[in-house]
């Protein structure tokens, strides 16, 4: 069991949400003063406001799309609304942040009611500007189909964290 | 000591023997000592040192047999010990996770954990509890896969909430129909802040 495995594979993000990919662009997401790493636990009170996103890359002319989905909606044991879309930002120039892009689905703070949900940030490279359009509704959003629809190709970066109800662990626990 | 002559003896005079044999506590201590010896560990000889003819396969309670003076027949004093009358001071080879609890609390803890896992789909506990739970969650899913009334009642006797049992029996076919075993996944995570306990997420696959 001590194989060195990618946290995205271990957490089944690759599998449920994405296909296997190789990350090529650096993606750093920070809520408040706490950076998001794979598999960390955040409380709904910490993720009320949209995070600070920093994208690597080198060329300011390449644009990226950032998607934030919850594959465990409404509950991990019964995920019939698989992939609830929380945030969708497009036309983000490389080396900048999400505030420089066009936010076509505004940030909705996740408030899971039941179970521990994974929340996944996925970054795609766009072929051109203004090629991505918002979906009609937030639930049943399939990231794979969305990427295929708008020719986004394989993801270039992804990170996920866990979130549960505010009083989920009972008492003061991190 | 006295055991060496047991198999060789046919009949003994009880009064002279009873005066010669040591008292109770030393006898039980010596019986422990002798039963863990290499030669007698494989034998089903009883742990009684009553200098009697060979009583057979049933191990006798040493205190019971001592109290009755007419110690001619002992067939009614059968006390069944699971491992054939052997008891060891060590835990070698026993793979039951004790979870620092007595057996009744352990069972209650595992029942509660499997109920919560089936209800929420993913829970976060300590690694020891998560790996102890796997067996019971798989057992519940297997009962649901069978689907008969008897199995449903067995599941109802284990899971604390009946709605969860009914929901599990309803949806297990489409969810785990193709999968043979291994219905859970454990992901290790950061230790708990209060006591640095190693934590893990356990989730239904």
């Amino acid at each position: 069991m001590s194989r060195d495995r990618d946290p995205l594979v271990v957490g089944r993000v690759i599998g449920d949400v994405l296909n296997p990919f190789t990350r090529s662009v650096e993606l750093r997401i920070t809520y408040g003063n706490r950076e998001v790493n794979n598999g960390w636990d955040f409380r709904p009170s910490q993720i009320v406001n949209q995070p600070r996103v920093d994208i690597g890359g080198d060329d300011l002319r390449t644009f990226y799309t950032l998607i934030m989905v919850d594959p465990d909606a409404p509950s991990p044991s019964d995920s019939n609304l698989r992939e609830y879309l929380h945030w969708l930002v497009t036309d983000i120039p490389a080396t900048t942040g999400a505030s420089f892009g066009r936010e076509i689905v505004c940030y909705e703070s996740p408030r899971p009611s039941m179970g521990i949900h994974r929340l996944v940030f996925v970054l795609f490279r766009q072929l051109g500007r203004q090629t991505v359009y918002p979906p009609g509704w937030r639930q049943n959003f399939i990231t794979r189909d969305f990427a295929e629809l708008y020719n986004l190709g394989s993801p270039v970066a992804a990170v996920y964290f866990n979130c549960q109800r505010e009083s989920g662990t009972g008492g003061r626990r991190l | 000591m006295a055991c060496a002559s047991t198999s060789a003896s046919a009949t003994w005079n009880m009064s002279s023997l009873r005066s010669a044999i040591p008292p109770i506590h030393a006898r039980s201590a010596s019986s422990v000592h002798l039963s863990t010896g290499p030669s007698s560990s494989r034998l089903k000889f009883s742990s009684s040192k009553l200098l009697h003819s060979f009583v057979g396969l049933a191990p006798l309670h040493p205190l019971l047999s001592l109290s009755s003076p007419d110690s001619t027949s002992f067939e009614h004093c059968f006390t069944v010990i699971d491992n054939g009358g052997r008891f060891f001071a060590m835990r070698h080879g026993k793979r039951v996770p004790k979870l620092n609890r007595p057996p009744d609390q352990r069972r209650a803890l595992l029942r509660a954990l499997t109920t919560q896992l089936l209800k929420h789909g993913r829970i976060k506990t300590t690694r020891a509890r998560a790996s102890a739970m796997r067996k019971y969650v798989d057992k519940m899913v297997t009962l649901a896969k069978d689907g008969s009334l008897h199995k449903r009642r067995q599941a109802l006797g284990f899971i604390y909430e009946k709605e969860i049992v009914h929901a599990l029996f309803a949806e297990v076919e489409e969810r785990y129909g193709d999968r043979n075993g291994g219905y859970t996944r454990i992901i290790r995570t950061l230790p708990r802040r209060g006591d640095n306990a190693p934590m893990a997420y356990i989730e239904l696959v």
Side-chain angles (χ1 to χ4, degrees), chain A residues 12 41 72 77 116 118, chain B residues 119 122 175 185 193 201:
Chain A
R12 296 311 300 166
D41 216 61
D72 299 320
S77 62
I116 303 177
R118 295 166 292 176
Chain B
K119 179 174 177 183
R122 180 182 294 127
R175 206 164 153 180
R185 175 182 298 127
R193 192 193 133 180
Y201 288 106

Side-chain angles (χ1 to χ4, degrees), chain B residues 77-134:
Chain B
C77 299
F78 292 161
T79 50
V80 181
I81 305 176
D82 281 344
N83 58 355
R86 304 190 296 276
F87 51 99
F88 302 111
M90 297 158 275
R91 195 198 62 87
H92 287 187
K94 296 185 191 167
R95 292 164 68 176
V96 171
K98 286 209 187 161
L99 302 175
N100 294 323
R101 278 167 169 80
D104 51 344
Q105 279 189 39
R106 193 186 315 149
R107 181 173 144 85
L109 171 67
L110 289 166
R111 285 175 69 182
L113 283 171
T114 59
T115 306
Q116 294 295 309
L117 176 62
L118 292 172
K119 179 174 177 183
H120 290 106
R122 180 182 294 127
I123 60 174
K124 182 173 169 184
T125 64
T126 64
R127 276 184 214 167
R129 291 179 197 172
S131 75
M133 261 171 82
R134 288 177 297 176

Side-chain angles (χ1 to χ4, degrees), chain B:
Chain B
M1 224 183 64
C3 187
S5 57
T6 307
S7 49
S9 67
T11 51
W12 286 80
N13 191 353
M14 290 310 295
S15 54
S16 61
L17 278 174
R18 210 174 286 119
S19 58
I21 53 186
I24 301 173
H25 55 271
R27 178 168 314 158
S28 50
S30 68
S31 72
V32 171
H33 174 69
L34 283 168
S35 65
T36 53
S39 58
S40 58
S41 63
R42 288 287 163 263
L43 304 173
K44 286 257 185 156
F45 270 50
S46 65
S47 55
S48 76
K49 304 295 169 280
L50 281 178
L51 309 176
H52 204 272
S53 57
F54 175 44
V55 190
L57 294 180
L60 298 178
H61 200 297
L63 295 176
L64 262 183
S65 40
L66 270 175
S67 56
S68 56
D70 53 312
S71 38
T72 50
S73 71
F74 285 86
E75 285 77 11
H76 59 280
C77 299
F78 292 161
T79 50
V80 181
I81 305 176
D82 281 344
N83 58 355
R86 304 190 296 276
F87 51 99
F88 302 111
M90 297 158 275
R91 195 198 62 87
H92 287 187
K94 296 185 191 167
R95 292 164 68 176
V96 171
K98 286 209 187 161
L99 302 175
N100 294 323
R101 278 167 169 80
D104 51 344
Q105 279 189 39
R106 193 186 315 149
R107 181 173 144 85
L109 171 67
L110 289 166
R111 285 175 69 182
L113 283 171
T114 59
T115 306
Q116 294 295 309
L117 176 62
L118 292 172
K119 179 174 177 183
H120 290 106
R122 180 182 294 127
I123 60 174
K124 182 173 169 184
T125 64
T126 64
R127 276 184 214 167
R129 291 179 197 172
S131 75
M133 261 171 82
R134 288 177 297 176
K135 169 180 167 182
Y136 296 93
V137 178
D138 286 355
K139 191 170 280 208
M140 287 299 116
V141 175
T142 309
L143 289 181
K145 270 189 167 180
D146 185 296
S148 63
L149 174 64
H150 179 52
K151 299 286 189 274
R152 187 183 289 258
R153 286 188 172 162
Q154 283 185 320
L156 283 167
F158 189 85
I159 305 278
Y160 282 126
E161 296 175 31
K162 65 176 189 179
E163 293 88 6
I164 295 175
V165 173
H166 297 320
L168 178 68
F169 272 66
E171 68 162 32
V172 78
E173 163 77 38
E174 40 127 333
R175 206 164 153 180
Y176 295 122
D178 302 331
R179 195 180 284 267
N180 296 323
Y183 307 112
T184 59
R185 175 182 298 127
I186 294 186
I187 302 172
R188 295 174 295 175
T189 182
L190 296 170
R192 185 158 59 187
R193 192 193 133 180
D195 55 0
N196 205 33
M199 301 295 277
Y201 288 106
I202 178 168
E203 58 185 30
L204 295 172
V205 147

